[in-house]
Amino acid sequence: MDSAPPRTTKNSSNIPGIFLHVSKLCKLKSVGVCENPKPTNDSSFHSSSAPEANCCVDNRDWKIHPQPLEEKLISSSGCLEEAVISRLFTTISALKSAYVQLQQAHIPYEPKKIHVADELMVSELESLSELEHLYMKKHKCDSKFQSSLCLKIQEYREVLAELQTKIQCRESEIARLRSEVEELERKNVELEQNIKQQMLPEEELFPLRKELTPALFFEVFKFTSRSIHDFAKPLISLMKASGWNLDEAASLISDSVLYAERSHKKFAFEAYLSWVMLGDAQDVCFSLEQFDRVMSFRDPFDALMEDPDSNFGRFCRSKYVMVVSSKMEFSFFGNSDQRAFVLSGGHPRTAFYRAFTRMARWIWALLVMVHSFIPRAEMFYAKRGDDFSKNYMESVVNQVSTEKGEKLKVGFTVTPGFKIGSTIIQCRVYPCRM
């Protein structure tokens, strides 16, 4: 009896060829999940690692549903990196198990099992390739994100440097301005000290009854001239704001005067105030009995509130209605309430009237001293057209240009002068060319 021909078997030299074949088949594919698998009769194929495979054993009996690996990993684990590492170890274990099955299918040689094991190897290798692709993709995205983040950081650093430069410039500007403010404050202190040195202290002015001298009278005269100048400023401003023609008003006060500068017309309004306030005064208003009390107040309006019907109070009421006409007050404030209140014996608490009382107190004090000298001090005015004389006159402007050999003439008197015995206090005049 003839013996059966020996069974042909695959030797181990074919295994590298199989791996070469498997490696050629490796390409990027979608990983699938299995649905409704049919039972197989070949129970010898199944091993402990078979359920972990990503594809079915027999493509004819399984339905493949593509599902992105990234979504699957993220859904199974909150962190993608942890899921990739866990999946990597699982896939390597499954690949190892598939390789063992492939070796077992060769001894003894069983083509069907070899084919199934080969498909399983391809599936696991595809899973590894997909994991590698996913890792590289994430690494590339992270690199792009880091590069973009670095660009943003660099951009913000440049903005920060620019802002710091601006802050330094602002700090330098603040330091410069602070230095200027300190310098201005220092100059203001010096000016205040100079003014205090030039001004006679109030405590020396108030007790006038102790020593009434021409020198003291001259100091009061300077305060009086300054107070007239100070009140003329708001008066002119209100007239300008109310639509008054200042040129025409100045011409009515001092007609046919050639002013060297247009701003010199303010002296015409000062002359008007001086003429009204110093003229037509009643002797009863200038008693020394109330002088010390009125001059002791820092604010003359407080003296009026303490005794509204005093000599000083009657002087303020009579002079206010003469300086500020009804038409003028109505144009200033739209009514004549202040005038009516003054005529009824009151003193309105308005800024305009309070400014008026500051001027009125110095003029009242000057007139008190005029009537207190024995013999009484004499008031005099320079007439328009008189030659300018430095012995009796003081110019209110520094310099007036004249032709060669031409003499300056008096345009008008701004503040009258006084003669106390042999002492002459010059009148203040506006000199001009005639």
Side-chain angles (χ1 to χ4, degrees), residues 86-357:
S86 176
R87 187 71 176 180
L88 179 62
F89 283 108
T90 302
T91 304
I92 291 174
S93 298
L95 182 62
K96 181 179 179 182
S97 176
Y99 177 70
V100 171
Q101 293 180 23
L102 183 61
Q103 288 181 326
Q104 292 176 352
H106 282 75
I107 305 173
Y109 183 81
E110 297 182 13
K112 185 176 180 180
K113 288 185 178 181
I114 290 174
H115 176 72
V116 172
D118 180 68
E119 292 291 333
L120 186 58
M121 284 281 293
V122 170
S123 175
E124 296 302 335
L125 289 173
E126 288 177 348
S127 297
L128 285 175
S129 178
E130 184 70 17
L131 288 173
E132 179 186 10
H133 175 71
L134 181 62
Y135 175 78
M136 295 302 296
K137 177 181 177 182
K138 183 179 183 302
H139 180 71
K140 185 177 180 181
C141 292
D142 290 343
S143 299
K144 290 182 178 180
F145 175 74
Q146 291 177 359
S147 177
S148 176
L149 186 61
C150 290
L151 291 175
K152 283 290 184 182
I153 292 174
Q154 181 64 25
E155 181 181 349
Y156 289 148
R157 284 178 178 173
E158 292 177 357
V159 173
L160 178 61
E162 183 179 355
L163 291 176
Q164 288 176 344
T165 302
K166 290 183 178 180
I167 290 173
Q168 292 176 356
C169 293
R170 293 291 176 85
E171 289 178 350
S172 300
E173 182 69 12
I174 290 172
R176 184 185 65 81
L177 293 175
R178 185 178 288 112
S179 177
E180 291 182 359
V181 170
E182 292 176 355
E183 180 66 17
L184 290 174
E185 290 178 349
R186 184 185 64 80
K187 290 182 178 180
N188 287 338
V189 171
E190 292 179 357
L191 289 174
E192 289 178 359
Q193 292 176 353
N194 292 335
I195 291 173
K196 289 179 180 179
Q197 290 175 0
Q198 294 176 5
M199 293 176 60
L200 192 65
E202 292 184 359
E203 56 270 15
E204 295 182 12
L205 282 176
F206 295 156
L208 297 178
R209 297 178 62 181
K210 293 182 178 180
E211 186 177 2
L212 193 62
T213 63
L216 185 59
F217 182 86
F218 179 67
E219 295 296 333
V220 176
F221 176 80
K222 290 194 296 186
F223 280 110
T224 302
S225 300
R226 188 178 304 162
S227 67
I228 293 174
H229 173 76
D230 292 341
F231 181 71
K233 290 181 179 179
L235 181 66
I236 295 172
S237 298
L238 286 172
M239 293 179 68
K240 185 176 181 180
S242 303
W244 284 68
N245 189 330
L246 298 182
D247 295 333
E248 183 179 348
S251 298
L252 291 175
I253 297 172
S254 54
D255 190 18
S256 302
V257 174
L258 299 177
Y259 293 93
E261 297 179 12
R262 190 173 187 273
S263 61
H264 290 173
K265 292 184 178 182
K266 64 183 178 182
F267 296 114
F269 295 95
E270 292 184 25
Y272 165 76
L273 292 173
S274 177
W275 177 74
V276 174
M277 296 296 292
L278 290 170
D280 192 22
Q282 301 292 331
D283 292 350
V284 70
C285 295
F286 308 116
S287 173
L288 282 173
E289 296 177 0
Q290 300 178 7
F291 184 84
D292 290 340
R293 183 189 63 81
V294 173
M295 298 304 290
S296 65
F297 286 92
R298 291 284 179 180
D299 188 349
F301 192 79
D302 295 336
L304 294 176
M305 293 297 98
E306 183 179 273
D307 189 359
D309 294 323
S310 63
N311 290 341
F312 175 57
R314 293 198 301 272
F315 175 78
C316 289
R317 287 197 295 265
S318 64
K319 292 300 181 180
Y320 178 81
V321 296
M322 296 175 64
V323 169
V324 185
S325 64
S326 179
K327 178 182 177 181
M328 183 181 292
E329 183 176 297
F330 188 86
S331 67
F332 289 171
F333 311 111
N335 54 64
S336 300
D337 294 345
Q338 292 188 61
R339 184 180 182 85
F341 190 71
V342 171
L343 289 174
S344 65
H347 299 281
R349 293 177 177 271
T350 63
F352 183 71
Y353 189 78
R354 292 173 81 106
F356 170 80
T357 59

